[in-house]
Amino acid sequence: MSTLTRCHWANSSENMAHYHDHEWGVPVYDDLKLFQKLLLDMQQAGLSWSIVLNKRKDILESFDNFDPYIMISYDDEKINSLLNNPKIIRNRLKIEAMIHNAKMYIKHFGQTVSFSNFLWSYVDHKVVVHDIKVPKDTPTETDISKRISKDLKRLGFKFVGSITIYAFLQAVGIYNDHQNDCFKKR
């Protein structure tokens, strides 16, 4: 029986391996799923992805599956309940930024402009495959992640620095950053 070769980080836990094998790097084109993933990646700032992944179910439940149309109605009472929820990442700045970003999402992408088209247009709607021989070959940001970050900030989004955006682009399959010997590279 042969063992699959995965990206180095995916072997740290069963949860990470499952995420790697079934989600990370799989191209996403659905507007709402892209927005949801962006908010999850915002949670990672200053933390390891495994912390976010382990809390993901509770985060999604607590934030109404990141439905921006529900999130825009969050009031001080809801924010306080989130801040007192030990099952999620309780960072006031992140919580307020997610609510703010829900408002910006509806303002700019809601019903008329595709968030997916906005993001994928930076790469001519084609997955960018990076040559990752060893983990240190993986950059933390690119010119594209810097431009998307700058453009999202110009639209009023928060917590969307270029490193966060780069991780997001990897996660949603805009970048294929699987290591060359990883079974998911193809």
Side-chain angles (χ1 to χ4, degrees):
M1 183 172 113
S2 67
T3 305
L4 296 174
T5 300
R6 293 183 174 93
C7 297
H8 76 288
W9 59 266
N11 296 313
S12 62
S13 73
E14 192 175 310
N15 202 15
M16 290 289 271
H18 186 270
Y19 173 70
H20 171 272
D21 294 356
H22 300 283
E23 294 180 61
W24 191 77
V26 175
V28 176
Y29 300 96
D30 179 87
D31 286 345
L32 208 46
K33 287 181 179 166
L34 285 164
F35 176 69
Q36 291 166 338
K37 185 65 180 110
L38 177 63
L39 293 190
L40 267 180
D41 277 333
M42 286 171 51
Q43 294 290 293
Q44 184 182 356
L47 302 171
S48 73
W49 178 247
S50 63
I51 291 171
V52 177
L53 191 60
N54 290 334
K55 292 180 175 274
R56 176 169 65 172
K57 181 179 177 281
D58 292 317
I59 292 169
L60 288 170
E61 280 179 15
S62 299
F63 285 91
D64 298 290
N65 289 312
F66 292 140
D67 182 330
Y69 296 94
I70 295 173
M71 290 178 68
I72 61 169
S73 66
Y74 286 4
D75 56 13
D76 288 339
E77 184 179 333
K78 175 66 175 182
I79 292 170
N80 286 331
S81 76
L82 291 166
L83 288 169
N84 289 308
N85 183 346
K87 295 179 180 179
I88 67 168
I89 296 162
R90 297 178 291 172
N91 178 304
R92 179 178 286 278
L93 292 176
K94 289 179 182 180
I95 290 169
E96 290 176 350
M98 289 190 297
I99 296 165
H100 174 82
N101 287 351
K103 293 173 185 174
M104 295 301 99
Y105 175 84
I106 290 171
K107 178 179 179 181
H108 298 291
F109 301 106
Q111 309 257 329
T112 56
V113 177
S114 167
F115 189 47
S116 177
N117 190 53
F118 168 80
L119 293 168
W120 282 94
S121 70
Y122 286 89
V123 294
D124 294 326
H125 302 275
K126 295 178 187 124
V127 173
V128 174
V129 180
H130 289 139
D131 184 21
I132 310 293
K133 292 179 185 83
V134 293
K136 69 178 178 64
D137 291 342
T138 309
T140 56
E141 60 184 347
T142 60
D143 288 342
I144 291 171
S145 72
K146 290 175 188 175
R147 277 191 316 187
I148 294 172
S149 170
K150 186 177 177 183
D151 290 348
L152 285 172
K153 287 176 183 176
R154 190 175 303 135
L155 293 174
F157 283 76
K158 296 180 179 179
F159 268 84
V160 290
S162 63
I163 293 172
T164 296
I165 294 300
Y166 188 88
F168 166 71
L169 297 175
Q170 291 174 303
V172 299
I174 290 175
Y175 284 158
N176 179 340
D177 275 4
H178 287 283
Q179 289 171 209
N180 293 351
D181 62 349
C182 176
F183 83 99
K184 293 291 286 187
K185 186 65 169 196
R186 302 177 234 65

